[in-house]
Amino acid sequence: MLFNSLQFLIFFPVVTVLYFLLPHRFRWLLLLVASCVFYMAFIPVYILILFVTIGIDYVAAIYIEETKGPRRYTALITSIVSTCLVLFVFKYLNFFTTNYNALGAFFHLNYPVRILSIILPIGLSFHTFQSLSYVIEVYKGRQKAERHFGIYALYVMFYPQLVAGPIERPQNLLHQFYEPHEFDYGRVTDGLKLMAWGLFKKMLVADRLAVLVNEVYNNPTNYEGIPLITATAFFAVQIYCDFSGYSDIAIGAAQVMGFKLMTNFRQPYFAESIADFWRRWHISLSTWFKDYVYIPLGGNRVSPRRHYLNLLITFAISGLWHGASWTYVIWGALHGLFITFSGISEEPRRRIREFLRVDRVPALHAFARMSMTFVLVCFAWVFFRANSLTDAGYIISHLFTGFAQYGNLQYVSLQFRGIGIQPQDLVIAVAAMSIMLTYDILDKRERVWHRLQARPLWVRWSLYYVLVLAILFYSDNNVANFIYFQF
Amino acid sequence: MKMFLVKGVILSVPAILWLAIVLVIDPFDYFNVSHVISNEVKRQNAQEINELFFHVFREANAPSANLLIGDSRTANLPIDEIDKVTGQHYSLLTGNALKLNEAIDLFWLANRYRKLENVYIGINFSMFNQYAYADRVKTVDTIVANPLRYVFNRSTAQALFNVVEATITQKPVVNSVPPMSRDDFWNYMITTRASEWYAKYKFPDDVYAKMKTMVEFARANDINLVFIIVPHHVEFQNRLWDYRLTSEKVRFLEAMAALNTSVIDYDYVNEITLDKKNFLDPVHYGKAAGVLIADEVWTGQYKIGKLLNANYVQHVSAKELGHRKPDALAAFSGGVPPLKASLQK
């Protein structure tokens, strides 16, 4: 069930109303049933897989808590391996098989392994990581093992964040299922506003830009120069609006019922370095990798060489987490390389800054850093979005083809022929992007919705109407999947 | 809670009112329950806003076994004349600037509504281009499945205001006549439109594969599927030389012939395409030409239309690949009057 579908438009109010009508002791059951219905709207039988991993981790965590000595560690490893095994079979087995076959063919060893026809369970990577964080936290003694199976299952399956996060830590979410949530007008309306804003980003910006991006990235050899640059820049905006839009709806939906989920995005394209970008982009995942991969590897409390290696490993795994393809691995590794290079070149860059005295105009300096970061992020997005390494290579090598003619409007317009997006749709997308950018700029100083609260009623209601009407009348009519659902 | 519900109701009142208005006016006959506005007013004022909506929603409500699919050029075929000649009811499933991939999508969409018997698809080389691409049928299909998408839709809103205004003022609101003289528009089409269609060309492998699948399906399911290559005025045909697309045109004809289904070509030098009077603009034939084409195609007695086959294509290839000048078209077509001096430039 998609957040932007008619089914969810019915599902959400029904579940929310029932939630507030039911006594507190039954609410967990309602949410669990609702989460099962939500998940089963995709591929019903896959819920069995989810319950297998839930069962394993539930038992393992209790065992870890009750046991002392090396058995605890064995239980932890058993739990991690079994949870990851499910992820491996469904997500990575074909990737490794394909590469094994290719390698075999290269060395003329003709023992090909059959590629399985498997559909990836939706949101598998997300709830796998959420389960892992629970078991690890119990092992570390920072979280008590949950004895109530239903509540634990709900922690993994809570429908607003089940399929694409935010990836919650048990310390933040589990206790909330025990707290009685009363109907709070302010909280409910704030949640609804956040959901509306998420839908605006998804349906007006992301889905419209997707038309152009998909056409160019699915047929890259049909294009060169400006369309490739435009599609890449648009993809940067598309994926941000798509994923942060999803997160806003998820956080908003949970907030309506009284749950507080963690912030997942903080204006990532205002980042002034790649490291800063990762403090603002998909925060629940980047902190997960920091806590459970980067720091256990030694983090930055090791030799510089080892530190940079830790960064590269963490980012490459993060790439692989996104998708079983070399394009994702390279995307992740590129971010690792950018941060490594940034660390290595810090001293020379400081000298250049001092020599050029750019620090004297801080705003300009910040803008230059922001622009540079955006360009690097876009460059990496090419690998993330391209359907293959060959496509990514073509796109990168043809980004500036015909550069000398970029001033020729006729030439530029010819390059955009057949791109599939109607001019009026492009205008809507650009207008929506501008609104979103303004929102992000204003939100940086003070939360927009809080600021709006101080305005007269007619101003607020007019804005709500405009937002709702824009979503209803100007959104793309096709119900498109959220990009991160595939992970 | 009470305040929330009260405010929620107040906030939803305009939406409920709008829903009621759309249900009553229903500019595209989506719900097909209210007939407050006459059919003619809707045709005149809503169809121009979104032709696909207009035809597809009607088709969804009352599916027809006999269809004409294509863009505005196909829409110029006289549907009444076809009904008269065949004694069967035909429906138009056309859209402004419809692309070939969308025509195929429409075929599958209509096939879902009921078993098809006769399907005629209007096509031209200008549509047979990888870059001539749009994806609107999917959107229309989504709307068919979801009434809320129809109610809260810009085309619906625009068409609704148009039909209401036209009913009140008793005048058509939509004027499809271009805001320039016929000659100016003619030149605009010859220059700008030709550039839009021909400046960037690539053989549409994907779409052609879909065409083959469609033809095979039609054959297996006993559907009479016919392609009509709709005519352009020779001045527009001549633009193919300017864009060096003559060999691609021949490839298009070869591909069409290879489909092994009936393909009738009107887009060559003939009595229709030589005379400006037969055209509203260089790519849209007029009523008389439409009647002539309809008579030929639906009676199967061809005087101008050429049934595409390998021999015919070879004949065209020999002429067109031989670097002939546009004025040599007359020699190729044989029997048609010589080209006017103005065309020989």
Side-chain angles (χ1 to χ4, degrees), chain B residues 216-285:
Chain B
E216 279 161 23
F217 176 85
R219 194 174 300 128
N221 289 277
D222 207 19
I223 300 168
N224 172 37
L225 178 61
V226 178
F227 289 96
I228 305 169
I229 303 180
V230 291
H232 287 169
H233 188 266
V234 282
E235 263 189 84
F236 204 86
Q237 290 177 24
N238 290 348
R239 298 294 280 156
L240 291 178
W241 274 265
D242 302 333
Y243 290 99
R244 299 172 191 278
L245 288 174
T246 49
S247 56
E248 292 294 346
K249 167 77 189 279
V250 172
R251 201 178 163 202
F252 157 68
L253 293 172
E254 283 169 351
M256 292 303 294
L259 285 174
N260 279 327
T261 193
S262 301
V263 183
I264 303 136
D265 187 11
Y266 285 93
D267 192 32
Y268 68 99
V269 179
N270 57 48
E271 289 93 324
I272 295 174
T273 59
L274 279 168
D275 195 344
K276 265 188 172 183
K277 282 182 200 152
N278 288 327
F279 287 84
L280 306 170
D281 62 56
V283 299
H284 290 99
Y285 50 87

Side-chain angles (χ1 to χ4, degrees), chain A residues 344-359:
Chain A
I344 294 168
S345 63
E346 196 165 351
E347 186 54 27
R349 282 189 294 121
R350 188 186 59 78
R351 284 187 200 156
I352 293 169
R353 274 201 308 273
E354 281 176 4
F355 176 74
L356 295 173
R357 295 183 171 185
V358 284
D359 293 347

Side-chain angles (χ1 to χ4, degrees), chain A residues 6 183 185 188 192 203 208 222-223 414-415 417-418 428 461 465 472-479, chain B residues 1 3-4 7 10-11 14 18 130-131 138-139 142 146 148-149 152-154 195-196 199-200 202:
Chain A
L6 184 63
F183 184 92
Y185 178 82
V188 169
L192 291 174
M203 294 167 81
R208 285 199 181 277
N222 288 349
Y223 303 95
L414 186 63
Q415 298 307 306
R417 291 273 159 80
I428 293 167
W461 276 54
Y465 266 118
L472 289 173
F473 285 98
Y474 287 93
S475 63
D476 194 86
N477 280 302
N478 297 316
V479 179
Chain B
M1 178 81 118
M3 185 166 66
F4 176 79
K7 285 190 176 178
I10 295 171
L11 201 70
W18 175 250
Q130 177 78 42
Y131 298 106
K138 202 171 113 196
T139 304
T142 313
N146 184 349
L148 283 182
R149 293 261 170 207
F152 299 106
N153 186 287
R154 271 178 300 149
S195 159
E196 283 169 11
K200 200 176 173 192
K202 191 177 176 188

Side-chain angles (χ1 to χ4, degrees), chain B residues 114-133:
Chain B
R114 70 168 286 177
K115 163 87 178 77
L116 299 174
E117 288 169 16
N118 297 294
V119 179
Y120 290 77
I121 299 181
I123 188 176
N124 188 281
F125 174 66
S126 64
M127 295 166 79
F128 198 75
N129 184 347
Q130 177 78 42
Y131 298 106
Y133 167 82

Side-chain angles (χ1 to χ4, degrees), chain A residues 116-137:
Chain A
L116 299 177
S117 173
I118 309 174
I119 299 172
L120 180 70
I122 204 149
L124 182 64
S125 308
F126 286 92
H127 53 74
T128 299
F129 269 37
Q130 189 148 315
S131 300
L132 288 178
S133 85
Y134 166 73
V135 182
I136 296 169
E137 291 299 308

